[in-house]
Amino acid sequence: MFNKILIANRGEIACRVIQTARKMGIASVAVYSDADRNARHVKLADEAVYIGPSASSESYLVVKKIINAALDTGAQAIHPGYGFLSENADLCRHCAANNLVFIGPPVDAILAMGSKSAAKKIMANADVPLVPGYHGEDQNPAVLKQAADSMGYPVLLKAAAGGGGKGMRAVYAEDEFDQALAAAKREAQTSFNDDLMLVEKYLQKPRHVEIQVFCDQHDNAVYLFERDCSLQRRHQKVIEEAPAPGLSEELRQRMGSAAIQAAKAINYQGAGTVEFLLDSSGAFFFMEMNTRLQVEHPVTEMITGQDLVEWQLRVANGETLPMRQDQLTIHGHAFEARIYAEDPDNDFLPSTGTLHQLRAPIESNHVRIDSGVVEGDEVSIFYDPMIAKLIVWDSDRARALKRLTDALSDFCINGVTSNIPFLYNLASTAAFRSGDVDTGFIEEHQDEIFHRRQEDLDYAAPLAAQAILAKRAERSKQLAEHSLEPSSPWHLTDNWRTTGIEQHSLAMLINDQPVQLKADTSVMPAGIKVVNNGEHHFSNSSDFNLFTPQGVFHCTEAQANLGLDEDNHSSGNLAAPMNGTVVTLLVEAGASVSKGQPLLVMEAMKMEHTIAAPTDGQVGEFFYQAGDLVDGGAELLIFVAADISAAL
Ligand code: ADP
């Protein structure tokens, strides 16, 4: 076995590979850019080599720097992780030329699968079923259109060099074709410097089911079953699971055999993934093969009990596969949720900034966290804004899904916006619980996921009220405990009355919607979790998340009935919308202002944003001055709405 390997990557996957290397007694070398000087993968590795500026095009993507780092440190092999140079034939060739082992497939296999159209030709010859379509050389628009017309709409235009859903356009009718083709070509040219297009039949609501394969240098090949990655947004995976819900043993075997056929057709070695689309009739079609370890490999590890990075290292070292097909079995069910610094309510825009707080659920046999960042780290503009992968396992799908929602509600992330509420809502939908998934799932269920239905508010309002009353009762108890006269009713902040009847009129915001109701109990039903934002215990904060079986609701308690009768309220509007700089303050502290009046100007990404008064009111204190850098989400100033200040 190797004594030392270099990991040509960063973030969670670099950490992941280092951990297995350590377990196997192999020393690890990390590489890092300026932005990653203090990154977790650098600290975990035995050695680390600086490879240049933060932009990956000047560091992680420069083959020569990676090769030199390996040679300088005496590493014998290079693990490329995923992304970056993981499917780069050049790195593979340079490894060979420098007597370094590339921990991945032979260069010919990378090249064969590098183009979706070339890959399809090979697969057609190997009798692997394909999505019907045109993948020829002739790129004359008339020829492409003729192909689309004859297969029938809708069709999907795809860049042959594509990845990450780029250069892809669905075309629903003949007269949209020319325009869509031009747009897809432009995008492909900018993203991949290659505008070769293929045309495929656009399958309606297929499932994305992929097979994990492994081959060694001695002609052995196995499949480690499938992953269902149908939950996607813009053709990108969000939650993955293994095994695929409802897949029959017979279909599993057929897909597994087809995947092995695909791998053998290109003399594959190492870890690979053969992606298929599966339609509702049980027919499946080859889409592409990824010649690397995938982001979602942990769900396969959880159900097979195998360490796929260890398998990669053994195969690269010339050993035979650790197991035969008949030794591999599926045990239980696993999910992976990709936790990102992004804002699902704002078109999934990446959210950069400092991770002021990052608390993950406790790891166990059931919960695994793969992460490349720790509390205090920066989510920068330079790389993928992934915070962590949450992987859960249990003996069956229903139990594993409960583990997933529980673990998601245990995450506490502050400083950047995260997609945790989105993931939690997604995992809480009845359709997902029943395993009824396809690639159109998120779009189809968006009203439920984003709580746009009145029934969601009707459901959440009494629960939020209970939570508020429970918080008030807790507060009263704390006050009483610290008082000289513990039994005095004057310490109670709930609606204590001498008559003994408790009637509470509550006003609150639920997901930014004002809600008022009367409530008379403070007993929380089971299965509901209240998490104060920023804190995991009750405090005087009136801003909290309510995790329920129907999703998570963001709730703000309003004082008495103030400010909610109209469409204005005092909270939440005066935070910085993103990371940026304060350009100027437009009013004095203490000034009375009217609704809509500009208060402060910020600049971010060369664009100015004006922060205006949400309602008539008074400006208290400014927390920043002109020229100050501000993190997105930070409170900029104190603002008291007029109706509230009048009533105080
Ligand atoms: P990329 O390499 O950019 O990720 P893929 O070819 O892997 O692109 O496709 C990504 C996703 O797009 C698939 O998982 C699937 O949801 C959707 N997709 C791709 N091809 C088709 C098709 N012919 N019909 C329907 N959906 C498709």
Side-chain angles (χ1 to χ4, degrees):
M1 184 45 77
F2 313 115
N3 298 318
K4 194 191 265 193
I5 62 170
L6 179 137
I7 297 105
N9 215 300
R10 64 180 299 284
E12 70 86 16
I13 192 59
C15 298
R16 161 77 192 84
V17 174
I18 292 167
Q19 273 158 353
T20 290
R22 175 145 310 149
K23 183 184 82 178
M24 295 174 71
I26 302 168
S28 53
V29 183
V31 291
Y32 64 95
S33 68
D34 281 328
D36 281 340
R37 276 180 193 284
N38 298 309
R40 180 160 184 262
H41 77 279
V42 175
K43 293 186 180 136
L44 276 186
D46 297 303
E47 279 171 76
V49 180
Y50 171 72
I51 52 166
S54 303
S56 44
S57 59
E58 296 179 62
S59 47
Y60 295 107
L61 288 173
V62 184
V63 171
K64 203 159 170 285
K65 290 187 175 182
I66 301 291
I67 296 285
N68 286 342
L71 295 175
D72 290 349
T73 52
Q76 298 146 307
I78 295 182
H79 193 301
Y82 55 71
F84 291 140
L85 296 172
S86 60
E87 294 174 284
N88 183 289
D90 228 24
L91 176 64
C92 203
R93 283 197 204 97
H94 276 83
C95 280
N98 287 281
N99 263 332
L100 295 162
V101 175
F102 177 74
I103 303 171
V107 68
D108 289 342
I110 294 180
L111 290 171
M113 291 296 130
S115 159
K116 289 186 211 269
S117 47
K120 293 212 158 168
K121 274 177 216 133
I122 297 171
M123 291 306 145
N125 289 337
D127 288 331
V128 178
L130 299 184
V131 184
Y134 172 84
H135 38 84
E137 295 294 319
D138 190 344
Q139 291 285 300
N140 185 331
V143 171
L144 295 174
K145 178 147 185 305
Q146 171 55 38
D149 290 349
S150 61
M151 74 184 81
Y153 294 87
V155 300
L156 189 65
L157 295 168
K158 265 191 201 181
K166 290 202 191 93
M168 223 187 251
R169 281 279 187 300
V171 192
Y172 293 89
E174 195 183 333
D175 59 0
E176 295 168 8
F177 188 89
D178 293 337
Q179 217 176 348
L181 177 66
K185 272 183 171 291
R186 271 198 307 274
E187 199 169 295
Q189 188 63 40
T190 342
S191 305
F192 315 112
N193 202 20
D194 178 352
D195 68 355
L196 189 72
M197 284 288 154
L198 38 136
V199 190
E200 275 179 10
K201 182 81 192 150
Y202 191 32
L203 303 182
Q204 293 308 292
K205 299 194 175 189
R207 287 167 68 177
H208 173 122
V209 177
E210 58 183 38
I211 308 288
Q212 174 72 56
V213 295
F214 243 102
C215 307
D216 63 19
Q217 300 171 19
H218 313 283
D219 224 20
N220 301 305
V222 296
Y223 62 91
L224 291 94
F225 314 108
E226 78 282 359
R227 297 182 284 259
D228 191 310
C229 310
S230 298
L231 286 203
Q232 304 181 348
R233 57 159 191 89
R234 281 203 226 106
H235 307 303
Q236 287 178 9
K237 297 161 188 166
V238 175
I239 294 180
E240 303 98 341
E241 62 180 301
L247 200 76
S248 71
E249 195 51 46
E250 184 266 329
L251 185 50
R252 172 170 296 127
Q253 281 179 17
R254 271 200 292 132
M255 294 183 81
S257 306
I260 294 218
Q261 230 167 294
K264 292 218 154 159
I266 55 166
N267 298 318
Y268 201 73
Q269 284 167 24
T273 297
V274 184
E275 297 190 334
F276 294 106
L277 291 175
L278 174 65
D279 77 12
S280 50
S281 74
F284 61 89
F285 309 96
F286 172 85
M287 209 168 18
E288 65 171 344
M289 178 166 183
N290 291 317
T291 55
R292 54 171 156 81
L293 195 66
Q294 303 261 100
V295 177
E296 60 273 23
H297 76 276
V299 290
T300 301
E301 297 186 319
M302 299 300 263
I303 61 158
T304 58
Q306 302 302 309
D307 178 335
L308 297 193
V309 174
E310 179 177 340
W311 280 49
Q312 284 189 296
L313 294 173
R314 294 201 180 285
V315 167
N317 189 44
E319 298 174 28
T320 51
L321 290 177
M323 285 188 147
R324 293 189 316 264
Q325 191 68 54
D326 60 6
Q327 295 174 306
L328 286 161
T329 49
I330 297 179
H331 180 47
H333 203 99
F335 288 97
E336 176 184 277
R338 300 185 182 195
I339 296 168
Y340 269 90
E342 66 182 14
D343 186 358
D345 292 323
N346 194 5
D347 214 15
F348 295 94
L349 219 64
S351 165
T352 55
T354 304
L355 282 163
H356 291 306
Q357 191 176 31
L358 173 57
R359 223 176 314 158
I362 294 164
E363 292 194 73
S364 66
N365 288 341
H366 295 279
V367 176
R368 162 175 164 186
I369 311 287
D370 283 13
S371 176
V373 291
V374 295
E375 192 166 282
D377 279 358
E378 196 77 18
V379 178
S380 76
I381 54 163
F382 296 109
Y383 315 110
D384 185 62
M386 181 193 275
I387 299 173
K389 301 189 312 202
L390 165 66
I391 305 106
V392 295
W393 177 91
D394 211 320
S395 54
D396 62 40
R397 188 175 188 271
R399 288 197 177 93
L401 189 50
K402 173 83 167 68
R403 298 264 177 204
L404 179 66
T405 48
D406 282 353
L408 283 168
S409 72
D410 281 340
F411 259 97
C412 200
I413 297 172
N414 273 299
V416 297
T417 306
S418 85
N419 63 346
I420 296 267
F422 167 75
L423 294 171
Y424 184 95
N425 291 347
L426 192 50
S428 303
T429 56
F432 188 56
R433 232 178 293 133
S434 69
D436 185 11
V437 292
D438 61 61
T439 57
F441 187 95
I442 291 176
E443 202 181 344
E444 193 176 322
H445 296 275
Q446 54 179 315
D447 287 346
E448 189 178 351
I449 295 165
F450 290 96
H451 291 315
R452 292 197 197 111
R453 311 176 305 178
Q454 181 59 38
E455 65 199 78
D456 295 313
L457 269 194
D458 294 346
Y459 165 81
L463 298 173
Q466 317 271 56
I468 289 171
L469 294 183
K471 282 149 69 82
R472 287 188 184 170
E474 180 72 13
R475 247 179 265 155
S476 307
K477 212 171 100 205
Q478 281 171 2
L479 273 176
E481 275 165 8
H482 291 99
S483 149
L484 291 173
E485 230 187 311
S487 60
S488 166
W490 307 115
H491 300 301
L492 300 183
T493 56
D494 59 0
N495 281 10
W496 181 87
R497 303 245 173 93
T498 45
T499 59
I501 298 165
E502 294 185 29
Q503 262 283 346
H504 307 269
S505 182
L506 293 173
M508 57 203 142
L509 293 169
I510 301 178
N511 293 347
D512 290 331
Q513 302 270 356
V515 174
Q516 282 199 25
L517 50 73
K518 289 205 181 353
D520 56 11
T521 171
S522 64
V523 183
M524 282 299 286
I528 307 282
K529 187 167 156 190
V530 182
V531 181
N532 276 356
N533 287 329
E535 296 293 337
H536 261 264
H537 55 80
F538 284 127
S539 74
N540 284 332
S541 158
S542 58
D543 185 71
F544 58 94
N545 280 330
L546 193 65
F547 288 90
T548 80
Q550 308 275 324
V552 52
F553 295 87
H554 176 217
C555 309
T556 310
E557 175 188 0
Q559 298 301 318
N561 286 336
L562 303 177
L564 287 179
D565 295 334
E566 293 154 34
D567 66 344
N568 51 13
H569 55 83
S570 63
S571 60
N573 287 340
L574 301 179
M578 53 178 62
N579 290 349
T581 315
V582 173
V583 177
T584 175
L585 310 182
L586 300 170
V587 299
E588 303 269 303
S592 291
V593 294
S594 49
K595 182 175 176 175
Q597 185 174 339
L599 306 179
L600 175 153
V601 179
M602 273 188 71
E603 188 232 62
M605 300 181 186
K606 302 198 172 74
M607 279 179 27
E608 292 206 343
H609 299 265
T610 301
I611 312 295
T615 172
D616 293 351
Q618 194 178 15
V619 173
E621 189 185 342
F622 281 100
F623 298 124
Y624 297 91
Q625 301 302 321
D628 286 351
L629 285 170
V630 185
D631 286 338
E635 285 296 326
L636 293 166
L637 55 109
I638 292 179
F639 182 82
V640 186
D643 47 1
I644 289 184
S645 57
L648 286 175

